[in-house]
Amino acid sequence: MMTNIAGIHIPDSQLALDAQDILKEHGSQLLWNHSNRVYLFGALQGEKAKKKYDGELLYVSALFHDLGLTKHYSSEDKRFEVDGANAARQFLAHYQIDENAIQLVWDAIALHTTIGVAEHKENEVALLYAGVGLDVMGEGYYNLTDEERKAIIKAFPRNQFKKEILPAFFEGFRHKPETTFGNIKSDVCALYIPDYKPKNFCDCVLHSPWSE
């Protein structure tokens, strides 16, 4: 695989290669291309903003960020983001990685869909969020040049990504739609589940066991 795309180095350490193997084994071509684009888009935005970040940690975060959608890593009752974060923590525990670095990766993955929070945390967390936002929703699209976008997409094609990613999301948590309460993935459940009625925060307050 190319190790330099659009001026961004893709980590090729043993840690990075092992993380690639896990995504290849348990993910899909859709998630492989998406996760690598997320890293490149996030890192490129970091370079443009002159933000310091650990490329290896950002790359591992990108490769693991959607693994919670897969059968191998999906739990019965946790948000898929937390499943992916837990998988990354378990993976990193086998290497000589500082505990603070492991927590940083965990936060980046767990918060990558948390609008209004992730972008204000550490650079690795913010850049993963930025990479996801650009690839999925086009946020920051014009911060990159046509040449940069084309180089990344040539290496990791989108292949009808708009049409494929939403059903892929849903397949990852269709058995636990309640875990999307309070986050943007509830919109995915509303798209695919007839008469979907998400849990309502106001009802939680008004119908709590408190007498007043």
Side-chain angles (χ1 to χ4, degrees):
M1 189 174 74
M2 295 175 63
T3 58
N4 192 293
I5 299 171
I8 298 298
H9 173 70
I10 295 182
D12 55 359
S13 64
Q14 191 59 54
L15 174 65
L17 295 176
D18 290 346
Q20 288 179 2
D21 288 342
I22 288 178
L23 179 55
K24 290 176 182 177
E25 178 180 0
H26 300 293
S28 62
Q29 193 65 42
L30 175 73
L31 293 185
W32 170 257
N33 286 336
H34 167 56
S35 297
N36 278 280
R37 290 196 308 268
V38 163
Y39 166 73
L40 290 166
F41 286 147
L44 194 50
Q45 290 182 87
E47 294 293 336
K48 289 177 179 291
K50 293 182 169 45
K51 290 185 176 181
K52 293 183 179 180
Y53 63 92
D54 187 309
E56 189 175 55
L57 295 183
L58 180 59
Y59 190 51
V60 171
S61 299
L63 294 183
F64 273 81
H65 87 279
D66 273 346
L67 272 176
L69 296 169
T70 67
K71 290 183 179 180
H72 185 78
Y73 290 108
S74 180
S75 68
E76 291 298 317
D77 59 355
K78 295 181 182 66
R79 286 178 56 160
F80 87 89
E81 301 95 331
V82 171
D83 287 336
N86 287 343
R89 172 179 281 162
Q90 185 178 20
F91 167 75
L92 291 171
H94 296 289
Y95 299 84
Q96 293 183 329
I97 303 294
D98 181 82
E99 191 61 38
N100 290 331
I102 295 177
Q103 185 63 51
L104 187 64
V105 171
W106 194 97
D107 286 351
I109 298 170
L111 294 173
H112 80 265
T113 62
T114 306
I115 296 172
V117 174
E119 61 262 47
H120 301 294
K121 285 184 62 67
E122 297 88 347
N123 288 344
E124 290 80 4
V125 179
L127 292 177
L128 181 68
Y129 174 81
V132 170
L134 201 161
D135 198 45
V136 177
M137 299 185 292
E139 293 183 345
Y141 181 89
Y142 296 106
N143 292 338
L144 275 59
T145 66
D146 287 341
E147 290 73 20
E148 289 167 337
R149 292 193 298 269
K150 288 177 181 177
I152 292 171
I153 293 172
K154 180 180 180 181
F156 300 102
R158 286 179 65 85
N159 294 336
Q160 302 297 311
F161 181 74
K162 280 186 176 182
K163 294 181 179 179
E164 297 293 333
I165 192 59
L166 291 176
F169 284 146
F170 183 60
E171 283 300 314
F173 47 72
R174 67 184 303 165
H175 62 294
K176 50 179 181 180
E178 68 281 354
T179 63
T180 67
F181 170 56
N183 70 74
I184 58 176
K185 290 303 187 288
S186 182
D187 295 340
V188 178
C189 293
L191 179 64
Y192 289 103
I193 302 176
D195 302 319
Y196 175 66
K197 293 183 179 180
K199 188 175 180 180
N200 185 281
F201 171 69
C202 294
D203 288 340
C204 292
V205 174
L206 297 174
H207 299 136
S208 76
W210 292 103
S211 61
E212 42 65 39

